[in-house]
Amino acid sequence: MTQTTGSTVSKDRAREAMIRFMAAWEQGDLSAVDEVFAEDLVYHGPPFPDMDRDGLRDFVAAFRSGFSGIHVQVHEHVVDGATSVHRWTAEADLSGTTPLLPGVEPTGNHASADGAHVLHWTGDRVSEAWHIGDWLGWLTKAGVLPPAPGIGG
């Protein structure tokens, strides 16, 4: 594992950590959360409340209970000092129920969305994360929300 020094993170460590975190989403390997994120993590994922590390594990597990075939492709990694940014595209099928979408039945629809993670590093672990994604587009494609007027039709 590549270590960070001082107030910087190496591009290799940032890339390695993001790819490892994607294993939590894709394969359900929640140990990746502990490997990547610091014990005092603050994970921002609007519109959801801020999460600590336990909350993030629960969030990923809840997401996976409703969505299957999850695949995330990370397109680029940018590192500046103790901050890294990772742009990605995610896709999955709404094939089950999830406490994140109470009362929503599986549609079988395929959803995809683009997004990014902005990660702030302390040593070789992420202490603060911003998950910025197209939740409106995701839920529309999943069949949970109707398309906005004049879009896609």
Side-chain angles (χ1 to χ4, degrees):
M1 180 181 287
T2 306
Q3 295 294 314
T4 58
T5 56
S7 63
T8 64
V9 62
S10 73
K11 188 168 186 176
D12 286 344
R13 172 59 181 144
R15 178 186 295 119
E16 169 190 282
M18 191 64 184
I19 290 168
R20 181 72 181 111
F21 181 43
M22 293 307 103
W25 295 94
E26 293 180 337
Q27 291 109 35
D29 182 358
L30 299 180
S31 67
V33 172
D34 293 336
E35 293 171 23
V36 172
F37 298 98
E39 288 184 33
D40 61 348
L41 170 70
V42 178
Y43 190 94
H44 310 281
F48 301 99
D50 288 351
M51 296 169 243
D52 60 12
R53 209 162 65 171
D54 290 338
L56 178 57
R57 278 192 304 274
D58 293 345
F59 182 81
V60 172
F63 185 88
R64 289 183 48 77
S65 71
F67 290 91
S68 62
I70 299 168
H71 176 69
V72 184
Q73 181 174 354
V74 183
H75 303 290
E76 63 185 308
H77 309 271
V78 178
V79 176
D80 183 14
T83 301
S84 64
V85 179
H86 310 268
R87 186 178 60 83
W88 46 260
T89 300
E91 59 182 293
D93 301 314
L94 180 52
S95 58
T97 59
T98 171
L100 301 175
L101 299 170
V104 173
E105 294 298 318
T107 63
N109 289 9
H110 186 75
S112 63
D114 295 314
H117 274 82
V118 178
L119 307 178
H120 299 288
W121 294 79
T122 301
D124 70 345
R125 304 255 174 140
V126 175
S127 54
E128 182 181 28
W130 288 89
H131 176 146
I132 304 159
D134 178 15
W135 290 109
L136 179 61
W138 180 270
L139 293 174
T140 300
K141 290 173 187 169
V144 175
L145 298 175
I151 297 176

